[in-house]
Amino acid sequence: MIGFNAGLIGKNRTSSIGNASAPGAWTLEEQLKARRDSAWPPNPGEVIATGGSVETISVGGISYKVHTFTTNGTFTVTAGGAIEYLVVAGGGGGGGGWQGGGGGAGGYLAGQTTITTGTYTITVGAGGQGGTGSSGAIPTNGGNSVFSSFTAIGGGYGSQESNPYAIAQSGGSGGGGCHGINNNAGATGTSGQGFAGGAGKSATQSDNNYYGAGGGGSSSAGADAATGTAKAPGGSGTANAINGTSTTYAAGGHGSRRFQTSGSPGDSGAANTGNGGGGGSNGTAANAVGGAGGSGIVIIRYPGA
C-alpha cells in the first residue's frame, strides 16, 4: 500500500504505530487509527489536546480551540505547539467586623508559550472566605491557580477591626486596610500579577464615619479609605477576550463604610473572575460579614478547527 504524510508520497510503514508524531509516511490504516484516537496532526505544528470545557471560536477569520477550566482538571497534549493562556487565582476575602478592608484580587497571568506533549495538572484557586467579626472568624486568602510553570498567587484578604483583629495580607493583589491602630495599612501585591491594597484611616481620624480601603486589583492599587458616604473602590481588573468574549478579571474588593451603628455587608466576587470580596461593616450582626472572593479560572487556546 502507498502511504503519505501531509500530502507527501512515501514508503509504507508498519501500521502498529504508538506515536502520532513518528516520522515517515503514514498508511491510510494509520491515518484512520490516529484520527479515531484524536492524534492525527493535519498541519505541522498544530496543537492537539483534550481537557476542560472545549469550544471552537473564530477571531479575525481564524478558528481557535478554547479549553476552559473552572475547576481542577487535566490538560492532555498529544501534539505540541504554540498556545495562549490565562491563569487567574482566587480573590481574597473581605474583612468584616466593625469595618473591613476589601480583599485583594487573585493574581493575573496571561501570555503565549510553547507547550510540549504530556499531561498537565490544572489547579483553579478557590475564593477566600469573608471575615465575620461577630463570630470571631478572620477572612482567608484566595487559592493559587496553576498551569504548567505558571502559578497565579491567591489574593490577600482585607483587614478587619473587630474580634478578632486581622491585618491585611499580601497576595496576587494585596488586601485593603481598615480603620484602626495597627491594621490600617494595605498589603502588597505580587510583581507582575497585581497591586497593593489601599490604606485605611487611623484610629485618630474619626467623624463618626469609619472606613475600610479597597483591595488591590490586577491593573491598579486599591483606593485609600473614602470620605462622606462613599465606599473606597477596589483596584481595577484586566479585560481579556481569550475565549472570544471580553471579560474583566481580577478586580479588587471595595472597602467598607460605617456611620455610627449603620453598616452593610461586603459584596462577594463573582465565580471564576478572581475578584476580591468587599469589606463589611456592622450596624447589626448580619452586616458584620465581609464578602467572599471570586474563584479563579484557567483558559488555554490555540489555532485549530
Side-chain angles (χ1 to χ4, degrees):
M1 175 187 291
I2 294 178
F4 61 91
N5 184 11
L8 300 177
I9 302 299
K11 294 182 179 180
N12 189 17
R13 293 193 294 110
T14 174
S15 62
S16 58
I17 181 171
N19 183 355
S21 63
W26 290 55
T27 68
L28 291 176
E29 181 182 0
E30 288 171 339
Q31 294 176 54
L32 290 172
K33 180 181 185 300
R35 286 180 183 275
R36 286 195 302 268
D37 295 341
S38 298
W40 168 251
N43 296 302
E46 181 173 350
V47 176
I48 298 176
T50 58
S53 174
V54 184
E55 61 178 332
T56 301
I57 64 172
S58 179
V59 178
I62 300 175
S63 293
Y64 291 89
K65 281 281 184 68
V66 180
H67 298 250
T68 301
F69 295 84
T70 57
T71 59
N72 296 344
T74 55
F75 182 62
T76 302
V77 180
T78 52
I83 64 165
E84 299 171 68
Y85 63 87
L86 169 68
V87 182
V88 180
W98 291 339
Q99 53 272 335
Y108 175 97
L109 295 171
Q112 300 178 348
T113 191
T114 299
I115 200 77
T116 58
T117 58
T119 298
Y120 298 82
T121 298
I122 304 292
T123 302
V124 176
Q129 295 301 303
T132 53
S134 61
S135 61
I138 65 173
T140 61
N141 283 3
N144 295 349
S145 289
V146 182
F147 161 57
S148 184
S149 61
F150 306 104
T151 299
I153 306 300
Y157 64 73
S159 64
Q160 64 183 31
E161 184 185 13
S162 185
N163 180 21
Y165 289 89
I167 297 174
Q169 296 294 296
S170 299
S173 288
C178 72
H179 180 102
I181 298 173
N182 298 316
N183 53 0
N184 57 312
T188 59
T190 299
S191 178
Q193 299 194 20
F195 289 80
K201 290 185 179 294
S202 72
T204 60
Q205 295 173 293
S206 174
D207 56 359
N208 289 322
N209 285 284
Y210 303 88
Y211 303 95
S218 56
S219 290
S220 67
D224 291 343
T227 59
T229 60
K231 293 180 179 180
S236 299
T238 305
N240 190 300
I242 189 172
N243 63 354
T245 301
S246 182
T247 302
T248 298
Y249 299 94
H254 65 77
S256 64
R257 171 186 179 263
R258 176 172 69 90
F259 176 70
Q260 296 180 344
T261 60
S262 176
S264 59
D267 297 329
S268 292
N272 304 121
T273 62
N275 293 346
S281 56
N282 79 337
T284 64
N287 289 338
V289 180
S295 54
I297 195 167
V298 175
I299 303 178
I300 302 162
R301 86 173 186 182
Y302 49 84

